[in-house]
Amino acid sequence: MENMYGIEYSKPEVVLLQDTGIGVAETAARTCYDSFSNSENEVINYIEDNMPDAKMCDDINDIQESNLLGDLAWTYFHHSILEHANLSFLVRGTSRGVLQEHARHRIQAISVRSTRYTMSSIINAFVASQGDKEFFIEKILGFDMFVTCDEGYNRLEISAMFDKLAYQQTKVENFDEISIAKSSLEFLEEFKGDSQAMFDALQAGKKKRNVGDAFKHIITDNVKVDMVVTFNLRSLKNYFTLRESGAAFFQIRWLAQEMMKVTPTKYLDLIVKKK
């Protein structure tokens, strides 16, 4: 946790799921300059006049160092060859606020936990509360769904969510029908007056499809987001340059720093200038 401007925040967790290696990038660079014989890597020397077999492709992907890539990255700024290396990261616990900035980096593949499909528990808690705001607040606190860690602050967030839903409930005649699955409507009468039993029944029942369409408006930028992102090395260089900077929004800077921690040195040497 870290305190920023009087508010306690949690930091994201990041795991490197896969990386393709730098060997293909060197192969691409050697192809540009027809300089296979100058490589310090024997397998690159060999493929000057030969097509690699499966074993050689594995050897290419296992290459750990390339003098040429270092020269091209830092002396000649021939960065297009870095696009042949890709890294994929699993990110857990960043924020919707970060997601808005992260998505501006266009050359990436990104898959994000969908609020359209994953808000059922929140709406179930509201329906089951039967107007009991404290029940709703306690349930949502247990979901650990915010990057903010201060309980008093999060109670304000959750209270506002409750008020928005309560307001919407007065404006929509079929609120229950848009909130829970048709097969769960019977629980409203069966467990009337018992919020915990109703919540348990709704949680165990069928989930309402696309429930977030009606209710995404209740959540803020502080809600946690999980995602898988894949960058090519050139794009990752740009991302780290911009987002690890002290001028960046502190939450996305934390994400960039966690991504850097799990990025192997052979990549960092090509994209992060040594201080």
Side-chain angles (χ1 to χ4, degrees), residues 30 42 62 69 91 108 122 128 148 151 181 195 220 234 246 254:
R30 294 293 177 190
E42 184 178 347
D62 286 339
L69 292 183
V91 177
Q108 62 171 309
I122 298 171
T148 46
E151 181 177 328
S195 293
T220 71
R234 188 182 194 181
W254 292 344

Side-chain angles (χ1 to χ4, degrees), residues 5-240:
Y5 310 110
I7 305 296
E8 291 282 343
Y9 293 87
S10 61
K11 291 187 175 182
E13 297 179 290
V14 179
V15 170
L16 180 67
L17 293 176
Q18 67 91 25
D19 58 296
T20 60
I22 61 174
V24 175
E26 179 174 353
T27 303
R30 294 293 177 190
T31 299
C32 289
Y33 299 107
D34 196 17
S35 61
F36 293 90
S37 61
N38 294 334
S39 177
E40 70 273 31
N41 294 297
E42 184 178 347
V43 67
I44 299 295
N45 302 151
Y46 181 81
I47 64 173
E48 180 172 23
D49 299 312
N50 303 276
M51 293 296 285
D53 58 21
K55 173 63 168 62
M56 292 173 189
C57 288
D58 288 340
D59 291 342
I60 289 171
N61 290 324
D62 286 339
I63 287 174
Q64 299 299 309
E65 294 184 18
S66 170
N67 293 332
L68 176 61
L69 292 183
D71 288 341
L72 294 179
W74 298 114
T75 302
Y76 302 106
F77 304 105
H78 182 177
H79 293 151
S80 65
I81 46 88
L82 299 179
E83 295 175 9
H84 293 281
N86 292 278
L87 299 91
S88 298
F89 303 87
L90 171 62
V91 177
R92 291 208 168 136
T94 191
S95 71
R96 281 168 55 88
V98 167
L99 178 61
Q100 294 176 44
E101 298 205 8
H102 185 95
R104 295 172 188 163
H105 293 264
R106 293 170 180 82
I107 306 177
Q108 62 171 309
I110 179 170
S111 300
V112 183
R113 185 175 187 270
S114 171
T115 48
R116 292 187 69 207
Y117 292 94
T118 58
M119 287 187 68
S120 290
S121 294
I122 298 171
I123 305 308
N124 287 346
F126 178 78
V127 172
S129 74
Q130 302 172 74
D132 183 346
K133 180 183 281 193
E134 186 59 27
F135 176 88
F136 180 77
I137 290 174
E138 289 296 329
K139 277 291 171 222
I140 305 303
L141 281 173
F143 294 165
D144 187 27
M145 62 178 288
F146 302 106
V147 294
T148 46
C149 301
D150 184 277
E151 181 177 328
Y153 183 88
N154 288 344
R155 280 181 167 273
L156 295 174
E157 285 262 21
I158 300 167
S159 179
M161 291 166 59
F162 182 93
D163 290 343
K164 292 175 187 177
L165 289 170
Y167 176 83
Q168 187 175 7
Q169 192 174 36
T170 67
K171 297 294 183 178
V172 180
E173 291 184 4
N174 62 334
F175 185 86
D176 292 336
E177 285 79 3
I178 65 174
S179 301
I180 59 177
K182 185 176 181 180
S183 58
S184 295
L185 290 173
E186 63 187 52
F187 299 147
L188 303 185
E189 188 61 35
E190 181 178 353
F191 298 106
K192 189 174 183 179
D194 189 340
S195 293
Q196 184 59 54
M198 185 182 295
F199 178 75
D200 292 341
L202 292 173
Q203 286 290 89
K206 185 178 180 181
K207 299 295 183 286
K208 178 74 173 178
R209 189 169 183 268
N210 296 351
V211 68
D213 286 358
F215 302 115
K216 286 179 71 168
H217 67 88
I218 70 169
I219 58 177
T220 71
D221 285 351
N222 289 324
V223 169
K224 287 183 177 179
V225 167
D226 298 340
M227 59 187 177
V228 173
V229 295
T230 299
F231 283 95
N232 72 56
L233 196 54
R234 188 182 194 181
S235 294
L236 192 62
K237 173 182 173 66
N238 174 260
Y239 186 85
F240 285 165

